[in-house]
Amino acid sequence: MIDWRFLTVDDIEWVTKVGKQMFADSEWKEGEYDAKKIKKYLHHVASHPLYMCGLIGLKDDEKAGFLIGQIGEYRFMNKLLARENELCILPKYRGSMVAITLMKKFIEWAKTMKADEVLFEPSTNGDINKFDAMAKRLGMEVTSKTYRKKL
């Protein structure tokens, strides 16, 4: 069974550990993972539910992934957007509907926060097709690409 709940301070160690695992497989693996910085950020997420959203995805009552996002205003117009910052699913739970459940719950949260739209900015290590399929299933459309150059 797939379920979800809001992130609490009790989840910080787990999210930090999972985040480190995901970091090791990411485009940023050459950098240095800063667990202290992440923990500080996660405390901020857990303690500011009026503009930060932390969700924990569960599969058969086991933690399977997390989503972190926030609400803010565009700098160039008076509209609110909800932006996903991180969507991490443990490899053994990918394809289990955990990600799509978290995405749906984030969209619901965004609606309750009166957001005008939701943005997901996936980092997928080059395999965007799976994410595209989930986003399209939720009625989303591609609006941009992300380009990167290491200096």
Side-chain angles (χ1 to χ4, degrees):
M1 181 175 124
I2 306 298
D3 206 357
W4 72 281
R5 62 177 173 73
F6 286 105
L7 176 135
T8 69
V9 293
D10 294 333
D11 297 309
I12 290 174
E13 287 298 323
W14 181 83
V15 171
T16 302
K17 180 182 168 191
V18 170
K20 185 173 185 176
Q21 293 168 358
M22 298 297 144
F23 179 84
D25 294 331
S26 79
E27 301 161 11
W28 295 278
K29 63 185 168 204
E30 295 166 10
E32 186 176 330
Y33 187 79
D34 189 341
K36 187 175 178 180
K37 182 176 185 175
I38 294 294
K39 288 177 183 178
K40 184 178 177 182
Y41 171 68
L42 293 172
H43 275 281
H44 177 76
V45 171
S47 60
H48 292 89
L50 293 179
Y51 61 91
M52 298 298 299
C53 180
L55 305 174
I56 300 292
L58 306 166
K59 169 83 167 114
D60 299 326
D61 296 324
E62 281 190 44
K63 293 177 187 174
F66 64 90
L67 185 150
I68 296 174
Q70 66 190 62
I71 192 136
E73 192 172 85
Y74 282 103
R75 67 186 179 281
F76 49 82
M77 66 179 164
N78 294 319
K79 287 194 170 199
L80 292 177
L81 74 143
R83 173 174 282 157
E84 165 266 342
N85 298 334
E86 295 179 72
L87 174 58
C88 297
I89 307 298
L90 290 170
K92 71 178 186 176
Y93 296 112
R94 293 178 187 161
S96 70
M97 300 294 291
V98 173
I100 201 109
T101 298
L102 291 176
M103 292 169 74
K104 285 179 180 179
K105 293 302 173 185
F106 183 67
I107 291 168
E108 288 176 18
W109 175 83
K111 287 178 183 176
T112 67
M113 303 307 288
K114 307 290 190 229
D116 295 290
E117 62 184 20
V118 175
L119 297 178
F120 283 86
E121 299 171 321
S123 169
T124 61
N125 296 329
D127 183 11
I128 195 74
N129 293 334
K130 290 179 184 177
F131 187 87
D132 279 349
M134 289 189 298
K136 288 176 184 171
R137 185 172 173 183
L138 294 173
M140 302 182 87
E141 59 188 55
V142 177
T143 59
S144 66
K145 292 182 180 181
T146 300
Y147 295 89
R148 178 178 174 201
K149 179 180 176 143
K150 294 181 184 181
L151 304 175

